[in-house]
Amino acid sequence: MNRQLALMALIGLVMFCPRTWAELVVEVTKGQDDAIPIAIVPFSSPEEAAASFDVAQLVSDDLARSARFKSMARKDMIDQPHTGAKIGFDDWRRLSNDYILVGQLQPQGADRYNIVFELYNVLNRQRLLGYQISANKAGLRLASHQVADMVFEKIIGVRGAFATRIAYISVLGHLPSKTYQLMVADADGANPRVVMQSNEPLMSPAWSPDGQNLAYVSFEGRLPTVYVQLLKTGERHRVSARAGVNQAPAWSPDGRKLALTLSTREGNLDIYTLDLATQAATRITDDPGIDTEPQWSKDGQSLYFTSDRAGGPQIYRVGVQPGDKPRRLTFQGSYNARPRLSPDDSQLAFVTQEDGAYRIATMDLRGRGDVLVLTRGHFDVSPSYAPNGAEIIYASRDRGRGVLALVSADGRVQERLVSSEGEVQEPAWSPF
């Protein structure tokens, strides 16, 4: 049992580090050399609408923090057109812009607005987008993220994920008095709110496929218990409180089951699936080694997991049908753990050990199984893919503090989400 506890501590190193929370601030630490120049012109609006929200600024911030775009500074704009008919394309081309976004914020009665916008290719004067989004004042931030998503997709060819959310764990205070918080925030770190608060550890947040629920582990009562909580109402249900270990919940693609790590009567850790409607638990792995950290395949027919059955943590895949035998996937290095699949199942992100440091790597699942180490930190753990597969969010350490960080799936773009008031851990990116 001592060996089991030691390996659990190694695999889940990040779980028990001290943290606090505040609104997260994005810092781009590595961008693309060929970032696309774009002008996001301030949207026109009556005075009362202008005071409501700066749509263009948020769109500009979103695109800039993706590091794939270079947004033109407003002070350098020689004009501020608000419709395509008013754009002097030759002038904007001389200012080295490839694209220009113009628009208006139009009041539509009490607490209602229309965001009307157009995207143009400056080089050939082609209108690429023309759209209108309606929102109340409270919804203008989300609507602005949606504008950025549409611009990103039109130019890059990949659906934007600015209008999605992240969940993460923070901890307030110091030993012997701590308060643990399960947080949900916008993908840019804004609008953080507390979903659950406890004086005992919270860990392993996992989004349901519809984005309406979070599963997580709570140590209320000093025992690990898995809960599912509805975000809209705060209502939560205890779904697994079996004797021993209950950890690492992961939702099936249809939202009907959780994959879990449970302990047997002898104390061994194995992978199970739990039917949420019937509470029936089905054992998937049966090995003297420690099997943990399950993750479903897109079709729901397989599970990826971490096991030490070969002597050290490595990643395996097993079918959920009875009798299927696990197959080892990772062979490079002595430590590979915490598997997370890209939305299209083409890549596997995981934590690998390199030169004594923990780093985020990916494996190509559709080719030769090539492994690419994406990060260079000393303690990079807990990867989670954005729903478009373009980025991976993970937990890291920066100057002794816990931060969240992001890296593009090709490693070319890197960012940090830094809290001004402490540390954060275990991020999970929501679905669309």
Side-chain angles (χ1 to χ4, degrees):
M1 189 63 185
N2 289 336
R3 182 179 68 89
Q4 293 174 342
L5 292 174
L7 185 68
M8 285 173 62
L10 184 61
I11 292 176
L13 282 171
V14 72
M15 291 182 177
F16 299 102
C17 297
R19 317 289 183 192
T20 58
W21 77 275
E23 185 163 299
L24 304 172
V25 178
V26 178
E27 300 175 356
V28 177
T29 56
K30 179 183 177 182
Q32 291 188 184
D33 295 333
D34 55 349
I36 299 168
I38 186 172
I40 313 292
V41 180
F43 287 15
S44 70
S45 58
E47 184 176 346
E48 67 273 15
S52 299
F53 199 79
D54 192 337
V55 174
Q57 186 61 60
L58 184 61
V59 174
S60 178
D61 291 344
D62 278 348
L63 296 178
R65 73 179 178 84
S66 76
R68 291 172 171 83
F69 290 87
K70 181 180 180 181
S71 296
M72 185 179 193
R74 290 182 175 181
K75 64 180 179 61
D76 296 330
M77 295 181 182
I78 58 173
D79 191 15
Q80 292 193 356
H82 305 300
T83 65
K86 300 293 185 180
I87 298 174
F89 287 99
D90 290 339
D91 293 333
W92 292 99
R93 185 170 61 250
R94 280 192 287 268
L95 292 170
S96 300
N97 289 289
D98 289 355
Y99 299 91
I100 184 171
L101 182 73
V102 296
Q104 305 164 59
L105 181 60
Q106 302 172 343
Q108 299 293 311
D111 193 33
R112 204 72 200 170
Y113 303 88
N114 281 343
I115 300 175
V116 182
F117 62 96
E118 299 172 275
L119 174 68
Y120 285 85
N121 183 318
V122 173
L123 303 180
N124 61 17
R125 308 188 181 199
Q126 181 183 2
R127 186 174 185 258
L128 302 177
L129 273 178
Y131 210 79
Q132 175 177 300
I133 299 176
S134 180
N136 60 15
K137 184 175 181 179
L140 285 174
R141 168 174 283 274
L142 175 59
S144 301
H145 285 314
Q146 292 170 339
V147 174
D149 282 342
M150 295 175 70
V151 172
F152 186 91
E153 182 174 11
K154 178 57 67 174
I155 297 175
I156 302 297
V158 175
R159 185 175 178 182
F162 303 115
T164 57
R165 294 173 292 172
I166 56 173
Y168 56 94
I169 303 295
S170 68
V171 180
L172 298 174
H174 303 279
L175 289 174
S177 177
K178 288 186 178 181
T179 300
Y180 297 80
Q181 294 176 322
L182 170 59
M183 309 295 300
V184 168
D186 294 349
D188 61 358
N191 292 334
R193 67 181 182 93
V194 179
V195 173
M196 175 58 189
Q197 183 168 298
S198 175
N199 293 326
E200 302 297 336
L202 301 171
M203 61 182 61
S204 305
W207 291 89
S208 62
D210 62 5
Q212 301 300 308
N213 295 273
L214 280 174
Y216 57 91
V217 176
S218 172
F219 275 74
E220 297 163 64
R222 305 300 178 104
L223 297 173
T225 302
V226 177
Y227 287 88
V228 168
Q229 185 160 338
L230 180 62
L231 294 177
K232 186 175 182 179
T233 65
E235 179 183 7
R236 68 177 189 148
H237 302 279
R238 187 176 65 181
V239 298
S240 185
R242 290 159 172 79
V245 170
N246 300 262
Q247 70 177 27
W251 292 85
S252 63
D254 61 9
R256 297 178 180 179
K257 296 180 180 180
L258 290 177
L260 301 168
T261 299
L262 302 177
S263 57
T264 63
R265 291 180 179 179
E266 296 75 27
N268 196 62
L269 301 184
D270 280 295
I271 305 299
Y272 290 73
T273 59
L274 176 68
D275 188 302
L276 293 173
T278 67
Q279 279 289 295
T282 301
R283 189 171 184 171
I284 302 299
T285 66
D286 187 357
D287 189 90
I290 296 174
D291 298 338
T292 188
E293 300 175 334
Q295 174 77 54
W296 293 83
S297 62
K298 186 177 179 180
D299 62 8
Q301 298 302 306
S302 301
L303 289 167
Y304 295 76
F305 64 98
T306 304
S307 178
D308 74 339
R309 61 183 62 203
Q314 297 293 339
I315 295 170
Y316 294 75
R317 177 176 178 171
V318 63
V320 296
Q321 299 303 319
D324 199 6
K325 301 296 183 183
R327 180 171 67 91
R328 182 172 169 176
L329 298 180
T330 54
F331 292 89
Q332 178 176 308
S334 60
Y335 182 101
N336 296 287
R338 192 64 178 261
R340 290 297 181 264
L341 278 168
S342 63
D344 64 358
D345 275 10
S346 66
Q347 282 188 334
L348 183 74
F350 55 96
V351 179
T352 191
Q353 192 174 39
E354 181 184 67
D355 299 328
Y358 295 94
R359 291 169 177 160
I360 305 301
T362 59
M363 172 183 283
D364 176 17
L365 296 178
R366 294 184 177 175
R368 299 178 301 176
D370 294 340
V371 172
L372 175 65
V373 179
L374 301 179
T375 67
R376 304 303 300 170
H378 293 289
F379 194 76
D380 300 336
V381 293
S382 301
S384 177
Y385 272 97
N388 62 3
E391 287 187 294
I392 299 167
I393 192 169
Y394 60 97
S396 186
R397 304 288 295 177
D398 178 49
R399 294 183 287 273
R401 293 200 312 136
V403 300
L404 303 184
L406 301 99
V407 61
S408 60
D410 60 8
R412 298 177 66 192
V413 176
Q414 296 182 8
E415 305 162 59
R416 290 180 299 191
L417 285 168
V418 181
S419 170
S420 60
E421 297 183 20
E423 306 182 23
V424 287
Q425 64 180 13
E426 289 204 90
W429 212 316
S430 78
F432 283 117

